[in-house]
Amino acid sequence: MTLCDASPLIALINRGDDNHQRCVDILPSLSAPLITTCFCLTEAMYLLGRYGGWLAQQELWSYVVDKLLIISEQTSDNLTRMRNLMEQYRDVPMDLADASLVATAEMLNTRQIFTLDGDFYIYRLWDNSSFEVIP
């Protein structure tokens, strides 16, 4: 099971992104479906809308419809954990999308994350283990 941040979703769809080919090349080696959060999906939709409008957003929706991308439901416990994580990493700082991924990783007991965000080398899970960052 692989968590997916907004950054590779944007890079996969935006062919002009410097990381586009790198993300396309690594995608087949990842276990499908990818798991994301509504917060990451919102971030990706917003940025893709600025890049390519509805057509780019529609391509991201197709990932969800085709079940290549699953949106993990957030519980009230996860929301509390996100708040605590954002406070803990306030000096980085940690945004809500990143906090949602860390909380979801803990909930799903996974360490593998598809991201272009270097902060995931800093973040630690509840047991102090590190993420396996891809690519």
Side-chain angles (χ1 to χ4, degrees):
M1 172 180 331
T2 304
L3 290 175
C4 187
D5 196 4
S7 54
L9 294 172
I10 295 163
L12 285 166
I13 293 168
N14 179 355
R15 287 158 184 78
D17 189 293
D18 291 342
N19 292 293
H20 172 74
Q21 194 58 52
R22 187 170 132 194
C23 289
V24 167
D25 290 346
I26 197 73
L27 189 62
S29 69
L30 301 176
S31 303
L34 298 173
I35 310 293
T36 197
T37 67
C38 60
F39 306 103
C40 292
L41 184 69
T42 300
E43 181 180 347
M45 282 291 182
Y46 172 74
L47 293 170
L48 284 169
R50 292 184 64 196
Y51 152 71
W54 169 242
L55 289 178
Q57 292 172 323
Q58 186 177 27
E59 187 170 344
L60 181 53
W61 272 121
S62 75
Y63 291 11
V64 176
V65 170
D66 295 340
K67 295 187 170 92
L68 302 170
L69 182 66
I70 302 291
I71 304 165
S72 177
E73 292 188 31
Q74 300 302 306
T75 65
S76 60
D77 287 344
N78 268 20
L79 293 173
T80 300
R81 179 66 175 139
M82 286 178 230
R83 180 185 180 281
N84 293 338
L85 285 163
M86 289 174 72
E87 181 178 4
Q88 177 183 347
Y89 289 101
R90 65 186 173 274
D91 294 338
V92 173
M94 177 184 264
D95 65 26
L96 182 60
D98 287 0
S100 73
L101 287 168
V102 174
T104 299
E106 292 172 345
M107 179 180 72
L108 298 176
N109 197 29
T110 187
R111 296 177 44 241
Q112 191 173 72
I113 187 162
F114 186 27
T115 184
L116 301 170
D117 184 346
D119 290 340
F120 283 91
Y121 290 104
I122 298 168
Y123 303 147
R124 293 293 177 262
L125 299 167
W126 64 270
D127 64 356
N128 205 34
S129 62
S130 60
F131 279 92
E132 178 189 338
V133 177
I134 300 167

